[in-house]
Each structure stands twice: as C-alpha cells, then as structure tokens.
Amino acid sequence: MINLPDWEKSGLSHIWLPYCQMKNMALPLPVVGALGCKIKLADGRELIDGIASWWSACHGYQHPEIIAAVENQLKTLPHIMFGGLAHEPGYRLAGELVKILPRGMSKVFFSDSGSTAVEIAMKMAVQYWHNQGQSRKNRFICFRHGYHGDTMGAMSISDPESGMHKLWNGYMPMQYVLDIPSDEYSFAEFKELVAGIRKTAAAVIIEPLVQCAGGMKFHSADVLAAIKNICKENEILFIADEIATGFGRTGNIFACNEAGITPDIMCIGKALTGGVIGMAATIATEEIFVKFYSDDPTHAFMHGPTYMANPLACSAALASLEVFKKENRLAAVEKIEAQLSAELALCQAFPGVEDVRVKGAIGVVQLSEMSTEKKLKLRQEFIESGCWIRPLEDVIYLMPPLTISEQELTKLTSAIYEGLKKC
Ligand SMILES: *Cc1c(COP(=O)(O)O)cnc(C)c1O
C-alpha cells in the first residue's frame, strides 16, 4: 500500500525493529524530515505528531536555537571521554539542571539513555547502603503498571505482565511489586508491607504522578507525597523516575514539584535534549553523595558510560533549557491541558470508553479493552487522517510537542473522535 523508497526495501532484510513481530508487522512509514510538529513522509504526506518521538521532542522538530547550538558544538568538540577530561557543556549543564531541579538535588551523573539512568539509580541506591555496611538492602519496591526501561535491572522493576517477566524467569532479579495505594485502606496495607521488607529494600522507585508506558495511569500529588513519607519512616530511599514526566509534561517543570517533595535520587532523560540526541542523567541529593565521598577507594561510585556527557547532547540540553524559559513552555502546557480536557471529553460518549483523563500535556482515552485488530485499525485511521497517534495497551493517548498549535491539537483530538466512531 505504501510505496517504499529503495533504502527501506533493501534495508528491510537486515534491520531488526523494536517491539514487533517482524513476520507480520505493518511496514514502518518512511520519513524524510520533520519540522515543527509535522513529520514528513517520503510520499509527500505530512503527519501531525501526537507522540513527540516517544515524548522527547518537547519543542517540536528543528528548533533553530537547538540546531545552532549543536552545530557550533559539532565544529569544536563533538565528543571527548569524561574520565579524566572535562568540558564546558557538561559542567555548565550540571549547574543549570541543579538550578531547576527540586531543591536539594545537587549531584548530576550523566548517561546516554533513560534505561541506563535507571540502572545507575539502582546501583547508586544499592551501593549507598553497601557503603554503610548494609548490603542486605539490595531489592526494590516498585509498582504495577510501572515502566522504567528495557535493560535488565530496569525491566525487573517494571510491570511484570507488560514487561513479560516470564520470558526472563530466573535471569531477572526479583523485586517487590506493589499496587500504588490510593485510599486509607490500601495505604494501611502498603505501610504494613513496606515495614515488613524494610531490611532488604534499598529503594522505592516510581514514575511520579503519571505511569506512562504502562498504561498512562495517574495518581495524585498527595499519594506521591505520602509514599515518599513512608519511605522516610522506613529508611528506604525514594527514587523518582521523571524520564517521561520531566520538563513540563505534567504541568510543572518536574512532577515532584507538585507534591513539594525532593526525591533522594531522580532520573531524567527523553525531553532533556529537546528530543535531538539521546541523553539522560541520574541526580542525587547531597545526603546520598556523602556516603560515597570517603578515603576508601571502594566507596567510589562504579559506573561510566563511553558517551557519558556527550558534548553535542549537553549543548542541545543547554539550548533546550534556554528555549524552555524564553518561550514559556509551562504556560503552553496549561493551554494544552485545557484544550485536551475540552476536546477529548467528547470521546466519553462512545461505548467502550471507560474514562477520559488529562494531566498537563498528556491526554488519555481509556477503553475497557482494545484488541490487537482494533489497535491496528485505529493506527491506520489516524494515519489516513494525517495524524501520528499510536494506541498503547488499552489506551489512546496524546503527548504532543509542547509547541503544538491550537489547530494542530484539534486535528489530533478530532482524529481520535472520528477513529473511535469508525472502529
Ligand atoms: C522511556 C522511559 C524510560 C527508558 O528510557 P530509554 O531512553 O528508552 O532507555 C525509563 N523510564 C521512563 C519513565 C520512561 O518513560
């Protein structure tokens, strides 16, 4: 049906694609460019982007200031190792991030992907206790519907069902998977469970306010703050995975801000560079850092990726932070939130729609169930209406670039409405 360019035809026999059964997959759409909130296809069609390249392209594509910053950096120092050598973009970025992170977060450890940032957070938590002679505290408390990445440690703390844990039975570390408590009764139960495992639990890890890839499930800032408090009472670290929620997505610059909490360790990634280059970071408070700061060489933190603090990525992130302030992205999120709420509410009328919910620039239409056929049919409908929207689990969601115009956003929400009407 789509006319494939030569490079895709010949490459197809050598490429292995993510999350898909290669035998009967729908062929990926060939892309030749992207500008603003539009993706340009090889056949000349344009799609409005409802996903922002897995939630990373917060300023849309080809933002001139980010492109210029990366171009300049490319001419002077595209990369240099971070062990034993220092460069300005990396050191400046650490300082700029600390200025906007929740108060008290102060030590930034760079890496190259979200999953790696999560692995680093997990190693940091385990070594934090080890350095204090508490090496039994090496398990994690995590939540059903959570998603923290695809590497082994990150997978072990993600939802066991959607993470397909049984495929790696015996290889993957066992963790404590609990439900996010929501009311008095479930909090009492949660407290009791946590108290029972405090001696072996290094940390709780949570996606604050919105569990994204595991089904776009929301919880309140009060719930988040209460979980943080229970961690403190039980001497368990609190890790916030803000890889998806960070940089304005939920309405605050970080989701933790809404709950007024400072995690012990935080992970950021995705929108960090404005979606231009892969980069992530794990940030710790001073209290965590001091347990590594000692005369004992074995207390040093043992990690260091080859492309750590890549200067191109750092320069993109620095420019992205500037643009974020200058173009007031948080105000844009507020407008997107209002528009998503008003327009997606119409979908509530369809049978099979269980719930419509919006948080910041995240709009979700929850179906009671979604078959694989329905998912594929909807995807196709969306493409035909000029929109890039991919249903996930049992939800249809929008997480567009924060620069999306009112008209473009209406096109996305109408596509969902019309798609539901047809399918
Ligand atoms: C995407 C995501 C990750 C993994 O990031 P990658 O860059 O894909 O490795 C981890 N945690 C959360 C919450 C995410 O949304």
Side-chain angles (χ1 to χ4, degrees):
M1 186 192 50
I2 38 173
N3 212 355
L4 295 186
D6 289 344
W7 55 260
E8 185 164 347
K9 264 188 237 153
S10 57
L12 258 179
S13 46
H14 305 296
I15 205 116
W16 199 335
L17 297 169
Y19 296 113
C20 89
Q21 176 46 263
M22 299 287 294
K23 187 167 178 181
N24 55 16
M25 64 169 180
L27 289 174
L29 303 174
V31 173
V32 291
L35 184 66
C37 298
K38 295 198 178 79
I39 302 168
K40 295 185 200 175
L41 301 183
D43 62 8
R45 281 182 298 169
E46 289 187 333
L47 302 179
I48 297 173
D49 190 354
I51 308 178
S53 281
W54 275 331
W55 327 330
S56 64
C58 55
H59 311 293
Y61 300 95
Q62 302 284 343
H63 193 290
E65 287 180 37
I66 302 177
I67 299 294
V70 175
E71 273 174 354
N72 279 337
Q73 189 59 42
L74 187 60
K75 286 181 213 143
T76 50
L77 185 69
H79 186 65
I80 192 85
M81 64 189 282
F82 214 52
L85 298 171
H87 56 74
E88 183 178 351
Y91 282 62
R92 270 189 43 218
L93 179 58
E96 292 301 318
L97 285 171
V98 165
K99 281 187 204 160
I100 58 166
L101 284 160
R103 193 202 314 230
M105 307 235 68
S106 67
K107 295 289 194 266
V108 183
F109 194 99
F110 288 114
S111 59
D112 40 22
S113 80
S115 303
T116 310
V118 168
E119 297 290 338
I120 290 166
M122 294 174 77
K123 284 175 70 175
M124 219 176 246
V126 170
Q127 200 182 338
Y128 167 87
W129 293 114
H130 183 89
N131 284 358
Q132 300 173 74
Q134 298 208 52
S135 35
R136 277 186 68 212
K137 280 170 84 71
N138 61 8
R139 298 285 130 176
F140 291 85
I141 299 172
C142 54
F143 297 101
R144 215 152 272 125
H145 302 297
Y147 175 80
H148 299 282
D150 291 349
T151 50
M152 200 48 71
M155 225 174 18
S156 76
I157 50 172
S158 300
D159 185 276
E161 232 168 274
S162 52
M164 308 215 177
H165 283 199
K166 51 186 171 303
L167 289 178
W168 294 279
N169 240 344
Y171 178 40
M172 195 155 43
M174 300 292 287
Q175 314 290 10
Y176 303 112
V177 188
L178 306 181
D179 286 311
I180 293 188
S182 54
D183 53 17
E184 210 176 312
Y185 177 77
S186 55
F187 257 105
E189 191 180 43
F190 180 76
K191 258 188 185 166
E192 202 179 305
L193 284 168
V194 170
I197 53 184
R198 56 181 288 173
K199 294 235 158 54
T200 53
V204 160
I205 182 160
I206 189 166
E207 296 162 86
L209 301 189
V210 184
Q211 293 180 299
C212 293
M216 302 290 166
K217 306 246 185 274
F218 300 174
H219 55 267
S220 73
D222 288 347
V223 163
L224 185 65
I227 293 174
K228 165 80 171 69
N229 210 27
I230 292 170
C231 288
K232 193 163 182 210
E233 286 165 10
N234 288 283
E235 295 190 327
I236 293 170
L237 298 181
F238 181 88
I239 305 174
D241 178 352
E242 292 242 19
I243 290 166
T245 52
F247 303 101
R249 186 52 70 179
T250 66
N252 277 282
I253 183 110
F254 295 104
C256 283
N257 295 12
E258 189 173 325
I261 55 169
T262 298
D264 298 299
I265 301 174
M266 186 192 270
C267 303
I268 56 174
K270 290 205 161 100
L272 172 59
T273 65
V276 173
I277 314 179
M279 180 181 219
T282 307
I283 307 103
T285 59
E286 205 64 31
E287 292 78 61
I288 300 296
F289 179 77
V290 293
K291 296 294 187 284
F292 293 79
Y293 194 81
S294 93
D295 294 322
D296 183 344
T298 70
H299 283 180
F301 185 51
M302 289 299 158
H303 202 97
T306 307
Y307 283 94
M308 182 170 185
N310 170 257
L312 290 175
C314 291
S315 65
L318 282 165
S320 175
L321 293 182
E322 273 298 308
V323 167
F324 208 93
K325 270 185 287 191
K326 205 158 79 184
E327 300 184 6
N328 202 349
R329 287 288 174 266
L330 288 181
V333 173
E334 218 171 294
K335 279 176 65 186
I336 293 170
E337 181 170 41
Q339 194 183 343
L340 283 173
S341 303
E343 295 179 0
L344 287 180
L346 304 174
C347 297
Q348 196 92 59
F350 294 110
V353 171
E354 204 172 272
D355 175 37
V356 174
R357 52 185 184 268
V358 173
K359 179 76 193 162
I362 307 173
V364 184
V365 178
Q366 172 82 54
L367 308 188
S368 38
E369 56 172 345
M370 183 148 43
S371 63
T372 310
E373 297 87 75
K374 180 156 176 160
K375 212 176 278 182
L376 291 176
K377 235 172 109 191
L378 279 168
R379 279 185 193 177
Q380 202 47 46
E381 280 298 328
F382 295 147
I383 291 166
E384 270 154 37
S385 57
C387 295
W388 184 235
I389 304 170
R390 285 168 43 108
L392 175 94
E393 308 254 329
D394 49 7
V395 300
I396 306 170
Y397 77 93
L398 295 175
M399 275 170 86
L402 306 180
T403 48
I404 195 153
S405 73
E406 197 180 323
Q407 291 87 332
E408 286 169 327
L409 190 54
T410 297
K411 207 160 166 210
L412 291 173
T413 57
S414 312
I416 293 179
Y417 181 85
E418 295 300 326
L420 282 170
K421 200 151 89 182
K422 276 192 202 160
C423 301

